Amino acid sequence: MNIVLIDDEPIIHQALGPFLSRAGHQVHHAADGNEGIALASECKPDLIISDIRMPGMDGLELLEKLRMRIPTTPV
């Protein structure tokens, strides 16, 4: 499965990324909502995992923008 992980906390990427990779998934990392939108638009993920509380664009605003660009991808 192709997964985009969006979180502003490096520890989340360091913990969850390898876990998902070991389970056989390809994980792409984004540190904020804008980076996440660009990455998701580029790599067409099967799943997006996102933090809710992030500086700049929070997870709910990110969800709205993702729904407009890739409406069928689960978040």
Side-chain angles (χ1 to χ4, degrees):
M1 184 177 284
N2 194 18
I3 298 173
V4 170
L5 175 59
I6 307 168
D7 200 300
D8 61 314
E9 297 289 334
I11 191 73
I12 299 300
H13 292 280
Q14 294 166 1
L16 194 52
F19 174 79
L20 293 168
S21 293
R22 282 192 304 273
H25 304 293
Q26 183 176 10
V27 182
H28 306 273
H29 299 271
D32 61 39
N34 288 320
E35 187 180 335
I37 289 170
L39 187 58
S41 296
E42 177 185 318
C43 73
K44 307 293 187 226
D46 301 303
L47 175 67
I48 299 170
I49 300 173
S50 176
D51 189 3
I52 295 293
R53 293 185 183 166
M54 294 183 288
M57 181 187 316
D58 69 21
L60 297 177
E61 183 181 353
L62 172 62
L63 177 61
E64 283 183 32
K65 292 183 179 195
L66 288 169
R67 286 284 157 248
M68 289 188 287
R69 286 178 172 76
I70 45 176
T72 60
T73 303
V75 180

